[in-house]
Amino acid sequence: MAGRGRLVPTLGVVALGTVGYYLYSAGGNPKVAEKQFEHDAASASARMKGDLPGKGKEAKLQGEVWAKQAGAKLDHVVDDAKATLHETDAKLSAKMAEADVKIDHLKADGLQKAKELRKDTDKKIDEFDTTVIRKTQEAKSGIASWFGFGK
């Protein structure tokens, strides 16, 4: 009776350990773990019967295990590619928005500098015109004074 009290918890621990092993070796995918367990069970059954490995159900189960593993790996690769694409798209959108802000800033700076340059140019032209008019008046008065018309 004392042996029976320990048998149930021991079998429970062994069962949990087996489930954990198959889940770990399948990368956490329960379908792949189930196929691996079925393959191992068929393999053990074939050894007990003395059959050669690779026959019948065992070969079929091994093919299913490999197909499930390949499918899981492919799904993982596709998910990683989608995540990378999404990340890259987000970065690209951020860079484009940043470039738009810089372009707007440069445009505003260019317009401001053009206004300042125009203002400075207009000022220089006005100074030149004033100087020309003043010098012209001085020259006229100098010439007029030669002929007695001026001061």
Side-chain angles (χ1 to χ4, degrees):
M1 193 75 156
R4 206 173 233 182
R6 291 185 177 156
L7 181 63
V8 172
T10 303
L11 288 176
V13 168
V14 168
L16 283 175
T18 303
V19 168
Y21 165 77
Y22 281 105
L23 276 174
Y24 178 78
S25 65
N29 190 333
K31 290 183 180 185
V32 173
E34 180 182 357
K35 292 296 180 184
Q36 284 180 337
F37 177 76
E38 288 175 3
H39 173 275
D40 288 349
S43 200
S45 173
R47 281 191 207 124
M48 287 183 170
K49 291 179 183 177
D51 289 359
L52 293 173
K55 281 188 150 187
K57 187 175 180 181
E58 182 183 348
K60 180 181 174 191
L61 290 176
Q62 180 63 43
E64 290 176 0
V65 168
W66 287 341
K68 289 281 185 182
Q69 287 174 338
K73 287 180 183 178
L74 182 62
D75 289 344
H76 181 67
V77 167
V78 168
D79 290 343
D80 283 351
K82 285 181 181 178
T84 303
L85 180 62
H86 180 69
E87 227 176 83
T88 303
D89 188 40
K91 286 180 184 177
L92 182 61
S93 295
K95 291 290 183 183
M96 287 174 58
E98 186 179 317
D100 285 344
V101 168
K102 285 183 180 180
I103 287 171
D104 289 344
H105 183 59
L106 289 171
K107 181 180 175 184
D109 284 351
L111 289 173
Q112 181 64 28
K113 287 181 181 180
K115 285 180 184 178
E116 290 173 7
L117 182 62
R118 185 176 198 182
K119 188 177 179 181
D120 288 346
T121 303
D122 286 346
K123 184 179 176 183
K124 296 284 185 186
I125 290 171
D126 288 344
E127 288 175 3
F128 177 75
D129 287 345
T130 304
T131 304
V132 168
I133 290 171
R134 186 174 40 87
K135 294 288 184 176
T136 304
Q137 288 174 349
E138 288 175 8
K140 280 184 185 179
S141 75
I143 293 174
S145 67
W146 290 347
F147 297 107
F149 298 114
K151 306 177 190 175

